[in-house]
Amino acid sequence: MHRGRYKPPASILGLVLGLLCVVQAAKVNKHKPWIETTYHGIVTENDDKVLLDPPLIALDKDAPLRYAESFEVTLTKEGEICGFRIHGQDVPFEAVVLDKSTGEGVIRAKEKLDCELQKEHTFTIQAYDCGEGPDGANMKKSHKATVHIQVNDINEYSPVFKEKSYKATVMEGKSYDSILKVEAVDADCSFQFSQICSYEIVTPDVPFTIDKDGYIKNTEKLNYSKERMYKLTVTAYDCGKNRASEDILIKISIKPTCKPGWQGWSKRMEYEPGTGNLALFPSMHLETCDEPITSIQANIELETNHIGKGCDRDTYSEKSLHMLCGASSGTVELLPAPSSAANWTLGLPTDNGHDSDQVYEFNGTQAIKVPEGVVSTSLKEPFTVSVWMRHGPGAREKETILCNSDRTEMNRHHYSLYVHNCRLVFLLRQDPSESENYKPAEFHWKLDQVCDKEWHHYVLNVEFPSVALFVDGVSYDPFLVTEDYPLHASKIETQLTIGACWQDNAGHDSDNETVSETLTGGGAYMSQFFRGNLAGLMIRSGKLENKKVIDCLYTCKEGLDLQLPEEVGTGIKVQFNPSQSSLTLEGDDIESFDKVMQHVSYLNSRQFPTPGIRRLHITTTVKCFNEESCISVPEAEGYVMVLQPEEPKISLSGIDHFARSAPEFESPEGVTLFPELRIVSTITREVEAEGESEDDPTAQESVVSEEVMHNLDTCEVTVVGEELDGQRESLEVDLAQIQQRGLEMSSSNLGLIITGVNTMATYEEVLHLIRYRNWHTEALFDRKFKLVCSELNGRYISNNFKVEVNVIHTANPMEHANNAMVQPQFISPVHHASMDLSGHNLANAHQASVVPSAATIVIVVCVSFLVFMIILGVFRIRAAHQRSMRDQENGKENEMDWDDSALTITVNPMETYEDQHSSEEEEEEESEDGEEEDDITSAESESSEDEEGAEAEGRQAASRQQQLEWDDSTLTY
């Protein structure tokens, strides 16, 4: 009951109610239910409840009116809604009546809905009432309404990438807006949950970023040398914040910027001596960055200026090199290596190592005088002057290389070679002649080589009135020739100097240059000093050097080489410079060009090359079709490391102590000094041990290789002790035999020197020919000599081989001669140096003592009985004499002084043949080679350091002594 509502009187209500009951009793199902024409619904997948708009309510006019809540109204069946019917095929929904009287109903899903399968459903629905009567007859249906239901999505799926991995390649040094794009998808049906809202790079600290659309770009310029490939892990998120079920891997490779240039070669290459050619660029190729190339030119330069005289050359003396190159006669070396025979270069500063050439340094204060007689006073035309020179920037003053000037009174320059303002000038004043006409006197060459501080080889071929100059094998004509009068006749001797010009204070100096204040004696001084380096200064008189000899002298022993196989094309032009230190290639085909470059090699033909670095420079010029876009190839640099060669050890061995009779020394043949000399050269290599040691895994063992054969260039025999006395002794050798072998010999009172490049076997043959003569041997008891041989101008030097020769004196020359004929059958030429024979030594046999006549008689008698024990008997006598002398001279040891001038040795004719025969057999067993001459005595022995040999000889001596004992008790000394 509501407040304020009008209440009719009870009589009226009763009347109305009565009327209604009458009407109701008479009512039938006249009306159809009514519903809306269209419904829209929403359902969430995995849920069955549908939210409809508007709500599902069916109305029926057959339903009674309700005026008041207090009335009890009996609803008829015709006014109720009994149900809803859905029309459609396979509609997953159902409609249910919640209240029949009100017609309220709901729609719900009959099964689990999947938005991904079907997002929307459309169907029709009808409402129907309950009809008339108890059985529902005459049921009425409403019109069909359309129902649209949308299935709402839930975020049940995660993003999935379309690809399992991604790859990309980028160029270094470039910034990209997008390197690549990754893409993920989501299986959810809704826009919200199927949309990928963001991507993320999981890998930390990488120079990349990714945007919401999946585009990756770099945050900084990439560097190929720093990182060649980046590996990134990337994930994705949908708008429901679901992360990708599986992250993906992205590989980004960095490609180096295409830089034109030579690629695929090593900067350092090692060269082992004696291995022949070394390929410098076996895998080299030229990168042109796909530019269209029309031509390529490459220049390969081997830098060898720091080695010796500009490159690696044999370090033989310049004279030996001239002989090897074919200049066999008339050559005089003015700057030889200091020796006893050529000592004028002694004390001159040198700028050399034994590995490379010997050169001399002139600093503007030093000069040397060439001794008189080395070069003839007036050069015989034609003649040649050659020199190696390294000279710095030019000075205003003249700098003299070679000068021949008046020794006294005047200052005339007869001929000279000097440098002036980067010009090379050769002065040659003609000798006095009947005609006083002008003649060519000075020849000038303006050359860059004179002042470039590099080594160059200069050769002057003088054939008056023309002078030809060759620099490094290339000829140059003088740009200026001045004339002068011939010199006036005079008897003044000349002085040949190197590094300056000899002047005389008394003369008139026509030159205005500053001269040295230091007088050299006699009012003479040097002027026009040279500043630089000189080597190999030679004068060859009477003959010109031909081009072949000049090229041979200049040619290096090392350089570039190119040996092309047949399959390599010949379309590439190849050009070397004369010294083989520079190679130029020209061509238009890149592939052929690369193949030729791969066959360029380094070669050093020296047996013992100079170790060290040789730098390489490659300069390349490329021409393209389009000149504007043509590439620039940078210069390539590397170096060849020449390893230290295994140094040879030159050993001299042979008989180093022997004795000969005095007549042999006095004979015209003399005594052979080195009859059994042997020259052997070996190399010791260190190799790793085969079995590795646990204590020292780096242990090495030395292995002496077999003998190595190489040349010698000098052997020097010097006297140990007093110099040779030319009035009574000399060292002699057959000069014709030496010259026949292409060697030269010089001698002095200090000894002799044999020079020239030849084999060790040849030097052995020549040294076997050296003889020592002494035609006054009365006061001579021994002589000592020393032999030293060397290779490569002193780079490798042998041991000091010393020889001692003893003189055996006899009383009667006639009897000695007879004995000399008999002795060889009894004397063993033993060559073991360590043989001592009870302390007897012939080294001091010349010391005098007086032997009584009784001793002489006893010796003669003993020798007559035991001829084959002559020498051992002499030893016994000398030993006894030593004991006597020690007593007399307060214990002097090893004194064997005696006087055998009155000693006469006779042979017992009664000696049996058997004794002689047995003695000869003993000699044959003890003799090593049997190469001794017939007059060898038993005192001859070879000095050796072999202890085992010494013990063996000692045992032999003791055995002999026991067999040949005699009684010397009756001897008086």
Side-chain angles (χ1 to χ4, degrees), residues 509-703:
D509 188 6
S510 59
D511 299 313
N512 297 324
E513 288 82 3
T514 304
V515 297
S516 171
E517 298 293 336
T518 305
L519 299 180
T520 57
Y525 56 86
M526 296 284 189
S527 68
Q528 303 172 14
F529 284 94
F530 180 78
R531 294 174 179 84
N533 296 98
L534 297 176
L537 181 56
M538 307 289 292
I539 290 182
R540 189 182 185 195
S541 180
K543 192 173 182 181
L544 299 179
E545 299 288 18
N546 59 43
K547 186 66 166 60
K548 183 178 180 181
V549 173
I550 294 172
D551 290 341
C552 174
L553 291 172
Y554 173 71
T555 301
C556 298
K557 290 290 185 178
E558 66 176 341
L560 300 173
D561 193 18
L562 181 59
Q563 301 292 335
L564 293 176
E566 295 181 358
E567 61 269 16
V568 176
T570 58
I572 307 299
K573 182 180 177 182
V574 180
Q575 184 177 0
F576 284 93
N577 69 335
S579 64
Q580 296 284 109
S581 64
S582 179
L583 169 62
T584 302
L585 303 177
E586 293 184 15
D588 54 6
D589 181 65
I590 296 180
E591 185 177 352
S592 299
F593 207 93
D594 288 345
K595 288 182 179 179
V596 173
M597 286 289 290
Q598 290 167 8
H599 285 85
V600 175
S601 60
Y602 169 80
L603 175 63
N604 195 318
S605 59
R606 291 191 65 189
Q607 188 175 12
F608 307 107
T610 304
I613 289 177
R614 276 76 161 163
R615 299 196 179 276
L616 282 169
H617 303 274
I618 305 176
T619 306
T620 310
T621 304
V622 176
K623 292 183 180 179
C624 309
F625 284 108
N626 184 0
E627 294 295 335
E628 295 180 359
S629 63
C630 198
I631 61 177
S632 175
V633 179
E635 181 177 349
E637 294 185 352
Y639 63 93
V640 178
M641 172 61 73
V642 179
L643 302 179
Q644 180 74 38
E646 294 166 336
E647 298 190 358
K649 180 181 179 182
I650 305 172
S651 301
L652 308 179
S653 61
I655 301 175
D656 62 355
H657 190 178
F658 60 90
R660 294 288 186 273
S661 62
E664 292 185 54
F665 288 93
E666 297 174 357
S667 67
E669 292 79 15
V671 174
T672 302
L673 272 185
F674 312 107
E676 296 184 12
L677 177 70
R678 284 279 294 134
I679 304 176
V680 177
S681 180
T682 57
I683 286 180
T684 301
R685 294 186 178 91
E686 286 188 355
V687 297
E688 294 184 0
E690 294 182 359
E692 295 185 359
S693 173
E694 296 180 358
D695 299 333
D696 186 11
T698 61
Q700 294 184 340
E701 59 179 354
S702 296
V703 177

Side-chain angles (χ1 to χ4, degrees), residues 26-72:
K27 189 173 181 180
V28 295
N29 189 14
K30 298 171 57 178
H31 298 94
K32 296 186 290 187
W34 179 88
I35 58 175
E36 296 287 344
T37 59
T38 303
Y39 292 91
H40 294 277
I42 298 175
V43 62
T44 302
E45 59 180 352
N46 300 328
D47 191 6
D48 61 352
K49 185 177 181 182
V50 179
L51 299 177
L52 283 179
D53 182 27
L56 181 60
I57 299 176
L59 299 177
D60 195 327
K61 291 182 179 181
D62 294 323
L65 296 176
R66 298 170 185 172
Y67 297 103
E69 295 179 1
S70 62
F71 293 160
E72 294 182 5

Side-chain angles (χ1 to χ4, degrees), residues 87 139 187 389 415 439 492 690 891 944:
H87 300 278
M139 180 183 61
M389 179 177 70
Y415 62 85
K439 294 183 178 181
I492 303 174
E690 294 182 359
S944 170

Side-chain angles (χ1 to χ4, degrees), residues 311-314 318 320-327 388 457 459 472-473 545-557 578:
C311 69
D312 214 0
R313 294 181 173 87
D314 283 331
E318 195 68 21
S320 296
L321 290 175
H322 274 69
M323 294 175 64
L324 289 173
C325 288
W388 284 93
H457 185 234
V459 177
D472 297 338
E545 299 288 18
N546 59 43
K547 186 66 166 60
K548 183 178 180 181
V549 173
I550 294 172
D551 290 341
C552 174
L553 291 172
Y554 173 71
T555 301
C556 298
K557 290 290 185 178

